[in-house]
Amino acid sequence: ILTFVDKILFESGKSDIQPGGQAVLRNVATILTRHTDRMIQIAGHTDTVGKTDANKALSMNRAQALGRWLRKRGLSIPIFYEGFGEESPKVARADETEEPQNRRAQYILSIGPPKVTDAPWEPKWQKL
C-alpha cells in the first residue's frame, strides 16, 4: 500500500519548509505516528532555475529538511530520502524558468521500497 502526497512547496533556491507546508505536515505527522509498521520515502525536486548540480543538491536538502521536520515531531518509522533535482518536473518548463509546482517534496508511505516509474534514474534512497 502506497500513499503518495505532493503538497509541500518551497521558495526558489531554498529548502526551508514554509508555514503552509508546516500546517500540512503537522496533520501528516499525527497520522504517520500511528503506522509504526511502515516506512516513508521523501523525494525532493526543483524547478529549472540554476545549475543542474546545484539543483540536485538543493533537492536533496529539501527532502532531508522534510524528513528532519517529521523526525522532530515524533515520527519514529524509517525515513529515506532522495533528490531528483530538476529532472522530474511536475510541470514541463524551459531551462531557467521558475515553476513553483516543481519546487516540491513528495512523500510516499509504504510497507516496502516504492517503485518509482517516472524517475530519470534508479533512486538511491539514503536513510535519515
Side-chain angles (χ1 to χ4, degrees):
I1 297 173
L2 296 177
T3 303
F4 185 82
V5 183
D6 187 17
K7 295 185 178 184
I8 308 303
L9 303 178
F10 296 86
E11 292 181 30
S12 185
K14 296 187 178 181
S15 60
D16 302 323
I17 299 172
Q18 298 178 41
Q22 290 182 24
V24 169
L25 288 176
R26 275 192 287 280
N27 292 331
V28 169
T30 299
I31 293 166
L32 293 180
T33 56
R34 298 180 202 144
H35 296 281
T36 57
D37 62 336
R38 303 286 198 274
M39 61 177 23
I40 189 168
Q41 289 84 19
I42 303 169
H45 303 275
T46 68
D47 58 20
T48 60
V49 175
K51 297 186 181 221
T52 301
D53 289 344
N55 281 337
K56 173 77 167 138
L58 177 59
S59 68
M60 290 287 283
N61 290 340
R62 287 175 175 172
Q64 200 171 37
L66 196 154
R68 286 183 178 146
W69 195 97
L70 289 169
R71 184 69 78 217
K72 285 180 184 177
R73 277 24 174 227
L75 188 65
S76 62
I77 63 175
I79 299 174
F80 296 87
Y81 64 96
E82 173 66 290
F84 293 89
E86 60 189 56
E87 298 186 51
S88 288
K90 183 174 184 177
V91 179
R93 294 284 185 246
D95 197 29
E96 296 300 324
T97 304
E98 287 196 25
E99 177 50 65
Q101 292 183 67
N102 290 339
R103 299 188 307 256
R104 71 199 193 282
Q106 302 168 299
Y107 45 100
I108 304 162
L109 178 66
S110 68
I111 54 174
K115 293 188 178 7
V116 179
T117 59
D118 59 349
W121 66 86
E122 184 66 32
K124 293 182 178 134
W125 301 101
Q126 297 182 52
K127 190 169 185 177
L128 183 65

